[in-house]
Amino acid sequence: MTEKTHLRAAGIGLAALLAGTTLAAGAQTKEAAPRKTAPAAKKGAKPAEKKVAPKPAITEDTEDPAIWGQEYPLEYETYLKTVDQVRTKYGGSEALPRTPDEADPRSVVSQEKIEEDPRLKTMWAGYAFSVDFREERGHAYMLEDQTFTKRQAVVKQPGSCMQCHASTVIPYRKLGDGDPVAGFHKMNAMAYMDARKLVSHPVACIDCHDPATMQLRVTKPGFMEGIRAWKESQGVKDYDVNKQASQKEMRAFVCGQCHVEYYFKGSDKQLTYPWANGIQVDQIQDYYDRIAFKDWVHKITGAPVLKAQHPEFEMWNQGIHGRSGVTCVDCHMPEITYKGQKITDHQVNSPLLKIQASCTRCHADVKPDELKARVEREQDRFFALRNTAMDSLMLLISDLEKAKAGGKTDEQLVTPRYLQRRAQFYLDFVEAENSTGFHAPQEALRILAQSIDYSRQGQLAIRDPSFKPTVAVVSVPTAAPGPNQSTAPAAPGAPAQPLHPEPQPAPGAQPRR
């Protein structure tokens, strides 16, 4: 058995364990046990009726996807393939072996992104991601990887994380005594490890499908509340996503439940989507400024900074595919022919790994190789400008560090620190977004250009106290640590300067092949 086969087999075993079952076709050996020959029936005797075990009914209490898989076996088989780890040029993950220990039983992990590009440690100095930030793996690992990340050791993470790392329909309902929204708010306020005891599966069928009709539905209260606030900003009051969204919208909303920007509101860490002003990065930045929110105080500069999460839904909305009505499902879960039947692919991976199914339905006149090349050209442009923006931020952080050491006061540094806050959030918004710019290429480049400009303005503000930036400066208090402040020491060897003078890939941050 090759190493690749061994890792694949280990992954399938994990998915089977998470689902509470074994994968019949993939986990068994090729040599089947010899079948016993049935005794010959007596002449004239009636043939015995075959007893067929009834399939278990799928209800609102059916959380285990393996039970749903008895009714929908082909969709379930592709769902189990979310254990696969395959790289594209700029995305995907690589299966790396590790030795399990008492703190972390995982034997396979993905690559550490903060080692591929150490500038990330500087950007996130004082935040848990500067300690551990690995490439995302498939849905099969979403709960396990969140449970065993080193970030758990340096920040007391809340139960809020469960909304997007676990199947929560039944746990929320039980915790809320029948009211899932009440259960959501209760779990948010819990410590992560206490909440972890209440969930059993990563995202499952019940989180996206009505068990009675199989229609798509939204079950995550964070999204329900977030989109209600967004719609209200557009003049639509009391929006109910499950009653008012179209079927096409639902093919994006079910994914947007989790692939979004969010923050923890208040002392009880209520998971909140910052969409009250809209979903563009400028509107989200203004929302955070208005409420004077910060995720943490930057360990090197003292700036009140923000951490973007994974705003795929927000960026997709700004791109040509989103504006043309092409949804997440169309590209990441296309219709495929699997074992002779047409089904929706539940592997949920990169369209670049299945271009024929994902892209050629619309782009029928373009060869798959050319479609792939077009995507990678867009991503190449993004990645080059991303590196320029990252270097610009490193220079601003370095200048702020020197200004502090040189005796500049907090009052004198309000403006450059605020410009770091903006430059960093804009860069992180598209850095944390998982399409390497492709969901909205023009918008992604605009955001990076804006980030570069804010970094340069921050440097000017340090050198010239009379400098007036192009945006109004908001003073965000820094006396108290942010809700996500890390207790870990500054990461060693994290340089507060650019890794290269020209816009080219940084050492260790080369395009992934």
Side-chain angles (χ1 to χ4, degrees), residues 20 62 73 96 135 170 182 195 238 246 255 261 284 297 302 318 320 323 325 356 360 370 408 487:
T62 310
L96 303 177
E135 187 67 71
I170 295 174
D238 301 320
S246 67
C255 303
E261 162 64 358
I284 293 173
V297 177
Q318 311 307 315
I320 185 63
R323 305 235 167 201
Q356 191 70 43
T360 59
E370 171 57 24
K408 282 193 179 281
T487 59

Side-chain angles (χ1 to χ4, degrees), residues 444-463:
L445 295 180
R446 180 192 76 84
I447 292 169
L448 287 173
Q450 200 77 63
S451 172
I452 294 167
D453 184 41
Y454 291 142
S455 288
R456 298 311 188 196
Q457 289 190 52
Q459 290 181 281
L460 287 172
I462 293 170
R463 289 161 173 74

Side-chain angles (χ1 to χ4, degrees), residues 113 133 135-136 139 164 223 230 252-253 255-262 275 279 284 307-319 321-322 326-328 332 428-440 443:
K113 293 177 77 171
F133 178 49
E135 187 67 71
E136 297 84 354
H139 285 168
C164 294
F223 185 88
W230 179 29
F253 289 173
C255 303
Q257 294 184 94
C258 294
H259 290 265
V260 291
E261 162 64 358
Y262 64 85
W275 293 352
I279 63 171
I284 293 173
K307 174 71 185 78
Q309 313 309 324
H310 26 65
E312 287 85 40
F313 179 76
E314 290 92 337
M315 288 298 292
W316 163 82
N317 265 281
Q318 311 307 315
H321 289 90
V326 180
T327 69
C328 318
H332 294 274
D428 204 10
F429 199 83
V430 290
E431 169 71 14
E433 200 271 342
N434 283 297
S435 73
T436 318
F438 183 74
H439 281 148
E443 174 69 353

